[in-house]
Amino acid sequence: MAQVSELLRAGSGVDLGSIDPAGTPGLPDTKQVRRDPKSWARAELADLGTQLARRQEMLYACAKKDRAERRRVLLVLQAMDCGGKDGTVRRVAGTMNPQGLHIVGFGPPTPKELEHDFLWRIRHALPEPGLIGIFNRSHYEDVLVARVRDLVPPKVWQARYAKINAFEQELIDSGCAVVKVMLHISYDEQRRRLLQRLRDPAKYWKYNPEDVDNRAYWDAYQRAYADAIAECGTGHAPWYVVPADRKWYRDWAVAHLLLDALDHLDLAYPPPDFDPETEIKRMERDGTG
Ligand code: ATP
Ligand code: MG
């Protein structure tokens, strides 16, 4: 499992052009996987989901029992349009208990949000102790779309890398594990997915004509992503680049990354703050035991 996260971790030397969006790093090379990788990965995801749900319950239980507990997890999902953020939330977060999740999507800032620093709305959306937070887009939009579409002057977005690093360090110091994932799709795969949205009336709601305009900025976005990953891929809050043209690989890989982060929290069910034997005796005296 550690191997998948090591293979996908991206740092200062990241070269997105050399990462195949249809690749499947870390997938075992067995006969069964070669025969039908998709079915294999879907079955594995179910198993990973069971493990995720168990760890999530431990995390939740620890915070429920101990007010001083600070541990929580934040999964940041970033991608180009049609990159599969929604699908990842559905498939990976869908394996866990909704009560222990805190899922927030970020669109263009509202007038009220624009009155504040770019991290203001992010701070308000953080998971409480015991929860797994998932950001569908995030503070990274403020060094991606804000840069590519000239929403702020270069000086402003350039200064944000250091602010993001300080913010994430603060988060980690306060007990929050941070996992940042770029779902890496190809230009052609985005085209296929946009066409699917246009050909299926049940998907019209996901289509935005601006997505086609944005395709003209593809290369600028890739540069902005590479810089964000290079500038903010710190040791404590690393960036992972997950090849995402194949949805079954994407979900399998993100589940691994999340499980890895939870494993690093070294979780266990909280010990009882009562004596189970005494309580059982009390129940027996109660007459129905
Ligand atoms: P899909 O990938 O399925 O298209 P989506 O994440 O694009 O989904 P939308 O509701 O279509 O969801 O779009 C959200 C939009 O909000 C994106 O275009 C994104 O660039 C924009 N956005 C998010 N944060 C910011 C920000 N800080 N500044 C400007 N725009 C932002
Ligand atoms: Mg969109």
Side-chain angles (χ1 to χ4, degrees), residues 145-267:
V145 65
R147 161 180 172 174
V148 173
R149 304 308 301 266
D150 283 326
L151 305 182
V152 294
K155 261 197 171 159
V156 172
W157 60 256
Q158 278 160 2
R160 287 177 175 166
Y161 296 127
K163 291 182 183 174
I164 290 175
N165 283 336
F167 165 68
E168 291 181 356
Q169 186 62 55
E170 192 189 304
L171 258 183
I172 291 155
D173 292 344
S174 74
C176 186
V178 182
V179 183
K180 301 179 296 196
V181 174
M182 177 201 182
L183 303 175
H184 182 46
I185 59 161
S186 63
Y187 189 68
D188 285 348
E189 181 63 20
Q190 187 191 56
R191 181 172 184 277
R192 271 191 291 279
R193 292 185 188 179
L194 282 170
L195 280 171
Q196 269 172 12
R197 289 181 180 188
L198 282 169
R199 288 181 176 140
D200 181 353
K203 291 188 172 157
Y204 288 167
W205 65 277
K206 290 194 194 180
Y207 184 80
N208 180 351
E210 277 176 27
D211 293 350
V212 179
D213 304 322
N214 252 326
R215 277 172 68 72
Y217 298 90
W218 182 274
D219 290 340
Y221 269 109
Q222 295 293 305
R223 278 196 297 277
Y225 265 103
D227 286 347
I229 291 168
E231 296 282 346
C232 304
T234 62
H236 285 100
W239 265 105
Y240 298 97
V241 177
V242 172
D245 276 8
R246 299 172 203 261
K247 296 175 181 174
W248 50 265
Y249 173 79
R250 172 199 77 195
D251 298 335
W252 176 83
V254 174
H256 264 294
L257 297 176
L258 201 50
L259 193 56
D260 205 31
L262 283 160
D263 277 341
H264 276 99
L265 293 182
D266 224 1
L267 293 159

Side-chain angles (χ1 to χ4, degrees), residues 80-83 85-86 106-109 121 136-137 141-142 145 151 197 206 208 211:
M80 300 293 285
D81 283 310
C82 301
K85 300 181 305 317
D86 290 349
F106 292 97
R121 65 175 183 165
N136 185 334
R137 299 192 187 268
E141 289 296 322
D142 295 284
V145 65
L151 305 182
R197 289 181 180 188
K206 290 194 194 180
N208 180 351
D211 293 350

Side-chain angles (χ1 to χ4, degrees), residues 102-146:
H102 185 72
I103 303 168
V104 186
F106 292 97
T110 61
K112 185 174 161 56
E113 286 167 349
L114 282 174
E115 285 172 15
H116 300 269
D117 175 66
F118 75 106
L119 291 171
W120 181 79
R121 65 175 183 165
I122 303 296
R123 289 183 190 279
H124 280 83
L126 291 171
E128 293 291 322
L131 298 187
I132 296 178
I134 301 180
F135 282 178
N136 185 334
R137 299 192 187 268
S138 67
H139 42 300
Y140 282 94
E141 289 296 322
D142 295 284
V143 289
L144 295 168
V145 65

